[in-house]
Amino acid sequence: MRIAWTLVFLLVVSESPCLAQESVTDSLVTTYRTAKHDTLKVKALIALAENVYLADPDKAMEYCEEVRTISERIDYTVGRSTAYGWLAYLHEQKGNIDEALTLNQKSLALFEQLGDKKQMATCLNNIGAMYADMGRTSDAFDHHELSLKLKEEIGDRGGIASSLNNLGLLYFQKEKYTEAMDHYQRSLVIYQEVGDQEGVGTALHNIAGVYQKQDKLALALEHHQKELHIRQQMNDQYGLAGAYNNIGKVLDDQGAYKDALENFDKALEIRERISDRLGTAYTLRHIGELLKKMGRMSDALSYLTRSLDKFRELGDRKNEAMVLQTCAEIALELNELTIAARHAERALALNREIKWPEGIRKAAQVLSGIYGKQGRWEESFRMNQLFLTLRDSDKKTMPGLKTFDPMATPGQAEAESPKQGEWVQAFSTRQLFQHMLDSVRNETTRSLTVKNQLENDYAMKTLADSLQYVRRSETIALEVARKEADIQRQRVALLSTGVVILLLLVLAMAIFFGKKRSDGLLLNILPRETAEELKRSGSAKARHFDSVTVIFTDFKGFTTISEQLSPQLLVEEINECFSAFDRVMELHGVEKIKTIGDSYMAAGGLPTENATHAIDVVRAALDIQHYMEQLGATKKAKGIPYFEIRIGIHTGPVVAGIVGIRKFQYDIWGDTVNTASRMESAGEVGRVNISESTYLQVKDHFNCTFRGEIETKGKGHVSMYFVDGQATAA
C-alpha cells in the first residue's frame, strides 16, 4: 500500500464552495486578466491553482510557475513562498521527490523570515511527509512534532488533524498499529468537524490500511469504498486512482483476483493519464505481483519490468529492490536459476545500500534457495545464515557460527565457514525436508492421476454413446434423403420449373462471386474475426489481450541502398521481401499488423488467443532470418545491393482495434509494442533479439544466448537474448 501522507496546501485566496468549478475558474481568469496590480494577479493565479489542481494538475503547475515568475520579478515574498509550496506538492505528486523537497525547504525559509507560524507549520508538515516516504523516519518525526507544536500554539484545528494523521503513519511504519489507529481516528474526527473532505478521505484510507494489516479485510474494503465515494465527489484524480489501487489490494488479499485486476486497471489508466509517475510505478508493481499469484508469469514480468524502469527513473532504490525480488521469485519458479540469481543479487545489493533489514532478509532467503539448486552450497549456507539472523532478531547467529553484520557487503564482512559436521547436519536437514515435500507432491500427483483417469473413462463412455446416436441419425437421414430425391426427380421433369431454377442459379452465382470478392478484399485489410464482427454489427470493439508476442523487422542502411536504386526497383525489392514475410506469417499463424517504410510489424496471439504465440513468432523470425540470408547471398554473388535485417521480439499485453472510418486499419497499442521496437533497434544485423519475457516462454524450444542488460532508449537496462536456433531434441 502506498502511504497516504497529508500534504497541507498553502492557500491565500479561498472561494465559495457552492459555486460550480467552471464558473469559479472563469471568474478567476477574468480577475487575473483585468487586475491592475501584480499582487492581485498572484492571488488570482494561486486561487486558480487551488481550484483546478485535483482535476488538472498540469494546468495548476502552469499557474504556480507564473506566480513564481511574477513574485520574483516584484520581490513579493508571500507570493514566492506560496508558489514554492504549491510547486513542491505538484512535483511530489509526479514523483519528483528531490525537487519537491528543495522547493518546500525554500518555502519554509521564506515563511521563517516573515514569522508566519501557520505557513511554517505547513512547510514542516510537508517536509516531514516526504522524509517519511524516503525512509528517513527520525527526521520525519522531528518535523511533524515541530509542525504539531506550532499548530497547537495558533489553534489550527485542520493543521492539527494533518499532523496527527502523519504521526499515525510513522507509527504504522513501525508496526505500532494501536498507536497509529488512535492518531488516525483523532484526525478523522477533526477533519469531519472542520468539513475537510480531502482530509476525511485520507484518514479513511489510512484507517483501512490498519484494518488490512490486522486481516480485517471487510472493514478495510468498507473504508476504501467510502474514500472512493469522496474522491469521486471531489473529482480528485490523484485520490481516485489511489482509492482504486487500494481497493484492488484488499480484493487481492481476499482472493478476488479478477475484481482486483479491474480496479488496478482503473488506477493505472488514471495515473498514466495525469502523468503520475510514482503512482504508475506502484500500480504496475501491484499488477505484476497479482499476475504472479494468478500463475501468469510472462504477463507478470512484463508489468514488473515496466515498474522497474519507472522506479529506476525516479531513483527509488527501495521499490526497485522489491520489484527485482519479485522478478527473482518468478524466475526461480520457472527454474531460470541464472536469471533468478542476477535479480536477487541486485536486490540484495540495493537493500544493503539503503540498509533495509526486511529487504535483505527476503533477498537472502531467495538466494539461499537459488544457490542450493545451483549446487553452490557454501553460498547457499551463508545466505541462509543471513536470513535466519534477520528473521530471529533475538538469536543473532546460528549455533557455533561467528556473529556478523547483516548490513555489510560481501567484501566488508564474512562469516566463518561452518565445520564439516555442521555442513552435513545442515544439508541432511534440507534433504529430509525436500524428501517430505516430494512425498506430499507425489501423493497429490497420484490423486490427480486417478481423478483424470476417471474423467477420461467417463468422457470415452459419453463419446461412444454419442457415436451410436449419430449412426442412428445418419440412417434416418439417408432414408429421408432417398424419398426427397424421388420427389425431386418428378419436379425436375417439369421444363418450366427447370428454366426458373436455371435463372435463379445464374443470379445466385453472380451475388456469390461478388460477395466473395468483397469479403476477400476485407480480409486483406482486417483479421477474419474482426472482419466478421464489422460485417455483423457495422463496427468492431477494441480488445485487450493479456499476452501477445510482437515482432518488428527493419532493414539496415535502407536510406543508403535506396539512393542506389530507381524508385520502381526499390518498390520491387521491398515488395519481394514483405511478400515473403507475409507468407511466413501465414504459415505460422501470425497476424501481420502493418508496414511503416522499411519496417514490418506482426503479432502472435491475436485476434484469436493461443498459448503458443511466442513460439510461433520466434519460428517465423528464424524463417525470415534464413530467407534474408539466402536472398542476400544470391544478390551479393550478382553484385546487386541487398538488404540486411534486424529482428526484435517482445511478449506482453496490448490493446487491439480498428482505426479510421474510410480506410480501415487493424492496429495494436501499448508498452509491449514500444518494447518490441526497442528489441529490434538494440539488436544486431542478421540476429533475432528477444526480451526476457519472450525468452521465458520459448527457452525450452530454442537455443538462446544471454546478451546481458543492454541500455535501451526510454527503458533503462533491459535483459536481452539472441535466438541461436531451434533446440535439438534430447
Side-chain angles (χ1 to χ4, degrees), residues 517-527 531-532 534-535 664:
R517 183 172 180 272
S518 65
D519 287 350
L521 290 172
L522 192 59
L523 290 173
N524 275 337
I525 302 170
L526 305 174
E532 291 297 331
L534 189 64
K535 289 191 295 180
F664 293 124

PDB file of all heavy atoms in Angstrom, residues 517-527 531-532 534-535 664:
ATOM      1  N   ARG A 517     -15.744 -11.709 -53.571  1.00  0.00           N
ATOM      2  CA  ARG A 517     -14.686 -10.755 -53.925  1.00  0.00           C
ATOM      3  C   ARG A 517     -14.577  -9.658 -52.863  1.00  0.00           C
ATOM      4  O   ARG A 517     -13.475  -9.303 -52.419  1.00  0.00           O
ATOM      5  CB  ARG A 517     -14.973 -10.137 -55.283  1.00  0.00           C
ATOM      6  CG  ARG A 517     -13.893  -9.189 -55.769  1.00  0.00           C
ATOM      7  CD  ARG A 517     -14.148  -8.773 -57.214  1.00  0.00           C
ATOM      8  NE  ARG A 517     -13.120  -7.863 -57.669  1.00  0.00           N
ATOM      9  CZ  ARG A 517     -13.174  -6.541 -57.510  1.00  0.00           C
ATOM     10  NH1 ARG A 517     -14.214  -5.996 -56.910  1.00  0.00           N
ATOM     11  NH2 ARG A 517     -12.189  -5.774 -57.943  1.00  0.00           N
ATOM     12  N   SER A 518     -15.742  -9.115 -52.416  1.00  0.00           N
ATOM     13  CA  SER A 518     -15.707  -8.063 -51.397  1.00  0.00           C
ATOM     14  C   SER A 518     -15.187  -8.601 -50.065  1.00  0.00           C
ATOM     15  O   SER A 518     -14.434  -7.922 -49.363  1.00  0.00           O
ATOM     16  CB  SER A 518     -17.102  -7.462 -51.207  1.00  0.00           C
ATOM     17  OG  SER A 518     -18.002  -8.428 -50.695  1.00  0.00           O
ATOM     18  N   ASP A 519     -15.574  -9.850 -49.718  1.00  0.00           N
ATOM     19  CA  ASP A 519     -15.059 -10.455 -48.487  1.00  0.00           C
ATOM     20  C   ASP A 519     -13.553 -10.640 -48.559  1.00  0.00           C
ATOM     21  O   ASP A 519     -12.833 -10.425 -47.580  1.00  0.00           O
ATOM     22  CB  ASP A 519     -15.729 -11.811 -48.236  1.00  0.00           C
ATOM     23  CG  ASP A 519     -17.175 -11.658 -47.769  1.00  0.00           C
ATOM     24  OD1 ASP A 519     -17.574 -10.523 -47.467  1.00  0.00           O
ATOM     25  OD2 ASP A 519     -17.888 -12.680 -47.722  1.00  0.00           O
ATOM     26  N   GLY A 520     -13.080 -11.033 -49.744  1.00  0.00           N
ATOM     27  CA  GLY A 520     -11.635 -11.220 -49.905  1.00  0.00           C
ATOM     28  C   GLY A 520     -10.873  -9.920 -49.726  1.00  0.00           C
ATOM     29  O   GLY A 520      -9.805  -9.887 -49.103  1.00  0.00           O
ATOM     30  N   LEU A 521     -11.433  -8.826 -50.272  1.00  0.00           N
ATOM     31  CA  LEU A 521     -10.792  -7.524 -50.099  1.00  0.00           C
ATOM     32  C   LEU A 521     -10.767  -7.121 -48.625  1.00  0.00           C
ATOM     33  O   LEU A 521      -9.766  -6.586 -48.127  1.00  0.00           O
ATOM     34  CB  LEU A 521     -11.542  -6.465 -50.920  1.00  0.00           C
ATOM     35  CG  LEU A 521     -11.410  -6.581 -52.443  1.00  0.00           C
ATOM     36  CD1 LEU A 521     -12.350  -5.601 -53.123  1.00  0.00           C
ATOM     37  CD2 LEU A 521      -9.967  -6.324 -52.878  1.00  0.00           C
ATOM     38  N   LEU A 522     -11.874  -7.369 -47.904  1.00  0.00           N
ATOM     39  CA  LEU A 522     -11.934  -7.016 -46.488  1.00  0.00           C
ATOM     40  C   LEU A 522     -10.931  -7.819 -45.669  1.00  0.00           C
ATOM     41  O   LEU A 522     -10.275  -7.290 -44.769  1.00  0.00           O
ATOM     42  CB  LEU A 522     -13.353  -7.256 -45.965  1.00  0.00           C
ATOM     43  CG  LEU A 522     -13.685  -6.675 -44.580  1.00  0.00           C
ATOM     44  CD1 LEU A 522     -13.496  -5.168 -44.570  1.00  0.00           C
ATOM     45  CD2 LEU A 522     -15.099  -7.036 -44.179  1.00  0.00           C
ATOM     46  N   LEU A 523     -10.776  -9.107 -46.018  1.00  0.00           N
ATOM     47  CA  LEU A 523      -9.839  -9.963 -45.282  1.00  0.00           C
ATOM     48  C   LEU A 523      -8.387  -9.609 -45.568  1.00  0.00           C
ATOM     49  O   LEU A 523      -7.489 -10.001 -44.816  1.00  0.00           O
ATOM     50  CB  LEU A 523     -10.105 -11.435 -45.605  1.00  0.00           C
ATOM     51  CG  LEU A 523     -11.410 -12.007 -45.040  1.00  0.00           C
ATOM     52  CD1 LEU A 523     -11.640 -13.420 -45.557  1.00  0.00           C
ATOM     53  CD2 LEU A 523     -11.386 -12.002 -43.517  1.00  0.00           C
ATOM     54  N   ASN A 524      -8.144  -8.903 -46.682  1.00  0.00           N
ATOM     55  CA  ASN A 524      -6.790  -8.426 -46.943  1.00  0.00           C
ATOM     56  C   ASN A 524      -6.420  -7.271 -46.033  1.00  0.00           C
ATOM     57  O   ASN A 524      -5.241  -6.946 -45.868  1.00  0.00           O
ATOM     58  CB  ASN A 524      -6.658  -7.964 -48.404  1.00  0.00           C
ATOM     59  CG  ASN A 524      -6.339  -9.128 -49.323  1.00  0.00           C
ATOM     60  OD1 ASN A 524      -5.808 -10.144 -48.870  1.00  0.00           O
ATOM     61  ND2 ASN A 524      -6.674  -8.999 -50.590  1.00  0.00           N
ATOM     62  N   ILE A 525      -7.446  -6.621 -45.442  1.00  0.00           N
ATOM     63  CA  ILE A 525      -7.210  -5.460 -44.595  1.00  0.00           C
ATOM     64  C   ILE A 525      -7.311  -5.819 -43.117  1.00  0.00           C
ATOM     65  O   ILE A 525      -6.518  -5.362 -42.297  1.00  0.00           O
ATOM     66  CB  ILE A 525      -8.242  -4.348 -44.919  1.00  0.00           C
ATOM     67  CG1 ILE A 525      -8.157  -3.960 -46.396  1.00  0.00           C
ATOM     68  CG2 ILE A 525      -8.032  -3.124 -44.032  1.00  0.00           C
ATOM     69  CD1 ILE A 525      -9.284  -3.059 -46.844  1.00  0.00           C
ATOM     70  N   LEU A 526      -8.278  -6.677 -42.774  1.00  0.00           N
ATOM     71  CA  LEU A 526      -8.575  -6.967 -41.373  1.00  0.00           C
ATOM     72  C   LEU A 526      -8.487  -8.463 -41.084  1.00  0.00           C
ATOM     73  O   LEU A 526      -8.692  -9.280 -41.986  1.00  0.00           O
ATOM     74  CB  LEU A 526      -9.993  -6.491 -41.027  1.00  0.00           C
ATOM     75  CG  LEU A 526     -10.331  -5.026 -41.300  1.00  0.00           C
ATOM     76  CD1 LEU A 526     -11.808  -4.776 -41.035  1.00  0.00           C
ATOM     77  CD2 LEU A 526      -9.479  -4.108 -40.450  1.00  0.00           C
ATOM     78  N   PRO A 527      -8.192  -8.842 -39.834  1.00  0.00           N
ATOM     79  CA  PRO A 527      -8.261 -10.257 -39.443  1.00  0.00           C
ATOM     80  C   PRO A 527      -9.685 -10.779 -39.632  1.00  0.00           C
ATOM     81  O   PRO A 527     -10.658 -10.018 -39.549  1.00  0.00           O
ATOM     82  CB  PRO A 527      -7.878 -10.226 -37.962  1.00  0.00           C
ATOM     83  CG  PRO A 527      -7.164  -8.945 -37.762  1.00  0.00           C
ATOM     84  CD  PRO A 527      -7.753  -7.982 -38.731  1.00  0.00           C
ATOM     85  N   ALA A 531     -13.170  -8.786 -39.172  1.00  0.00           N
ATOM     86  CA  ALA A 531     -13.973  -8.524 -40.371  1.00  0.00           C
ATOM     87  C   ALA A 531     -15.398  -9.042 -40.189  1.00  0.00           C
ATOM     88  O   ALA A 531     -16.372  -8.369 -40.559  1.00  0.00           O
ATOM     89  CB  ALA A 531     -13.321  -9.169 -41.584  1.00  0.00           C
ATOM     90  N   GLU A 532     -15.546 -10.236 -39.611  1.00  0.00           N
ATOM     91  CA  GLU A 532     -16.875 -10.801 -39.387  1.00  0.00           C
ATOM     92  C   GLU A 532     -17.684  -9.931 -38.424  1.00  0.00           C
ATOM     93  O   GLU A 532     -18.877  -9.697 -38.617  1.00  0.00           O
ATOM     94  CB  GLU A 532     -16.756 -12.225 -38.831  1.00  0.00           C
ATOM     95  CG  GLU A 532     -16.205 -13.249 -39.811  1.00  0.00           C
ATOM     96  CD  GLU A 532     -17.108 -13.435 -41.027  1.00  0.00           C
ATOM     97  OE1 GLU A 532     -18.335 -13.236 -40.896  1.00  0.00           O
ATOM     98  OE2 GLU A 532     -16.586 -13.763 -42.105  1.00  0.00           O
ATOM     99  N   LEU A 534     -17.270  -6.729 -37.948  1.00  0.00           N
ATOM    100  CA  LEU A 534     -17.578  -5.495 -38.659  1.00  0.00           C
ATOM    101  C   LEU A 534     -18.773  -5.685 -39.584  1.00  0.00           C
ATOM    102  O   LEU A 534     -19.668  -4.837 -39.650  1.00  0.00           O
ATOM    103  CB  LEU A 534     -16.350  -5.036 -39.453  1.00  0.00           C
ATOM    104  CG  LEU A 534     -16.418  -3.654 -40.099  1.00  0.00           C
ATOM    105  CD1 LEU A 534     -16.533  -2.572 -39.042  1.00  0.00           C
ATOM    106  CD2 LEU A 534     -15.165  -3.421 -40.946  1.00  0.00           C
ATOM    107  N   LYS A 535     -18.826  -6.822 -40.304  1.00  0.00           N
ATOM    108  CA  LYS A 535     -19.953  -7.090 -41.206  1.00  0.00           C
ATOM    109  C   LYS A 535     -21.243  -7.313 -40.413  1.00  0.00           C
ATOM    110  O   LYS A 535     -22.321  -6.909 -40.847  1.00  0.00           O
ATOM    111  CB  LYS A 535     -19.646  -8.322 -42.062  1.00  0.00           C
ATOM    112  CG  LYS A 535     -18.574  -8.094 -43.122  1.00  0.00           C
ATOM    113  CD  LYS A 535     -18.493  -9.245 -44.097  1.00  0.00           C
ATOM    114  CE  LYS A 535     -18.051 -10.520 -43.424  1.00  0.00           C
ATOM    115  NZ  LYS A 535     -17.966 -11.656 -44.362  1.00  0.00           N
ATOM    116  N   PHE A 664      -9.961   1.429 -43.358  1.00  0.00           N
ATOM    117  CA  PHE A 664      -9.800   0.728 -42.085  1.00  0.00           C
ATOM    118  C   PHE A 664      -8.368   0.212 -41.916  1.00  0.00           C
ATOM    119  O   PHE A 664      -7.727  -0.199 -42.878  1.00  0.00           O
ATOM    120  CB  PHE A 664     -10.754  -0.464 -41.998  1.00  0.00           C
ATOM    121  CG  PHE A 664     -12.203  -0.068 -41.933  1.00  0.00           C
ATOM    122  CD1 PHE A 664     -13.111  -0.561 -42.850  1.00  0.00           C
ATOM    123  CD2 PHE A 664     -12.659   0.796 -40.952  1.00  0.00           C
ATOM    124  CE1 PHE A 664     -14.448  -0.212 -42.790  1.00  0.00           C
ATOM    125  CE2 PHE A 664     -13.989   1.154 -40.875  1.00  0.00           C
ATOM    126  CZ  PHE A 664     -14.885   0.652 -41.806  1.00  0.00           C
TER     127      PHE A 664
END
